[in-house]
Amino acid sequence: MSGFLGRLLGSGVPKGFPGRLDADEAVVAVGEVRGGGHLVATSTGLWVPEGEGARRIGWHLISKATWGGGAFLITEAEVSEPAGDAVLLSDLPPRKIVVAVPGKLPQVVHQRVTGSIRSRHHRELPHGGAWFVQRKVPGRDGVVLQVRPDEGTDLDAVRLVAAEVAAKVAEAIGLAEPGER
């Protein structure tokens, strides 16, 4: 879709967008960033301006995205290490992105981030705790168990519990009858 209809419906890659979408990646919302560039929400993630280019953050790696005062505050997570079939995450510093014309972007980002979460709970561990979050990864079957330790938590304990929980989840899914997954 291009021209007026594309701008009205918020679909299509904006003119001059430097990113390369995957063949099956669909644009669902676009917002023009103040100072240049665009935030582009697709079926697989959120493209953010980076230098002269753009970089996609998968929906499953956005820990938090809040909208207010014409800006997003986006907290991206990075995988710090595997723990069995789980992954340990750490959050990068929040990034503020001011959007000149947000359109439906705030609603789409909220829906996509929260929609990737299948379950979450906090567990107390030695010297702190950790969030255990099962998330759907765009383009992949199943879910990934992400574990985000609280500051000061014993990482050896986190690794051990994360691997145990991931094994129990895999066992439970393997034992479930088709249609119960």
Side-chain angles (χ1 to χ4, degrees):
M1 212 175 307
S2 63
F4 174 75
L5 191 54
R7 287 190 304 277
L8 179 67
L9 299 177
S11 37
V13 177
K15 185 178 181 182
F17 177 69
R20 289 188 180 267
L21 274 55
D22 292 339
D24 59 347
E25 188 173 7
V27 173
V28 291
V30 174
E32 186 177 332
V33 174
R34 187 167 296 145
H38 295 86
L39 281 180
V40 178
T42 71
S43 51
T44 58
L46 182 65
W47 286 85
V48 296
E50 188 146 292
E52 297 296 316
R55 180 176 61 86
R56 180 180 52 221
I57 305 169
W59 294 118
H60 66 292
L61 290 174
I62 298 177
S63 295
K64 188 174 184 180
T66 56
W67 171 256
F72 275 105
L73 191 59
I74 298 171
T75 303
E76 178 182 359
E78 65 180 358
V79 175
S80 55
E81 64 181 278
D85 288 333
V87 293
L88 301 186
L89 298 180
S90 58
D91 285 339
L92 299 172
R95 179 176 175 187
K96 184 177 183 178
I97 302 174
V98 179
V99 181
V101 182
K104 64 181 182 174
L105 192 61
Q107 295 86 359
V108 167
V109 170
H110 175 76
Q111 290 168 345
R112 294 288 172 151
V113 171
T114 58
S116 72
I117 298 170
R118 298 299 182 246
S119 72
R120 64 179 167 210
H121 73 276
H122 190 267
R123 181 168 177 178
E124 293 301 317
L125 298 169
H127 308 292
W131 280 99
F132 289 75
V133 182
Q134 288 185 312
R135 291 184 90 168
K136 172 77 176 109
V137 179
R140 266 185 36 194
D141 286 336
V143 295
V144 63
L145 176 62
Q146 300 174 329
V147 182
R148 182 177 295 101
D150 297 341
E151 191 172 326
T153 304
D154 179 345
L155 288 180
D156 289 333
V158 172
R159 288 181 195 102
L160 179 66
V161 172
E164 289 173 355
V165 170
K168 287 179 183 177
V169 167
E171 182 181 329
I173 290 172
L175 296 176
E177 293 295 322
E180 293 181 342
R181 296 179 189 183

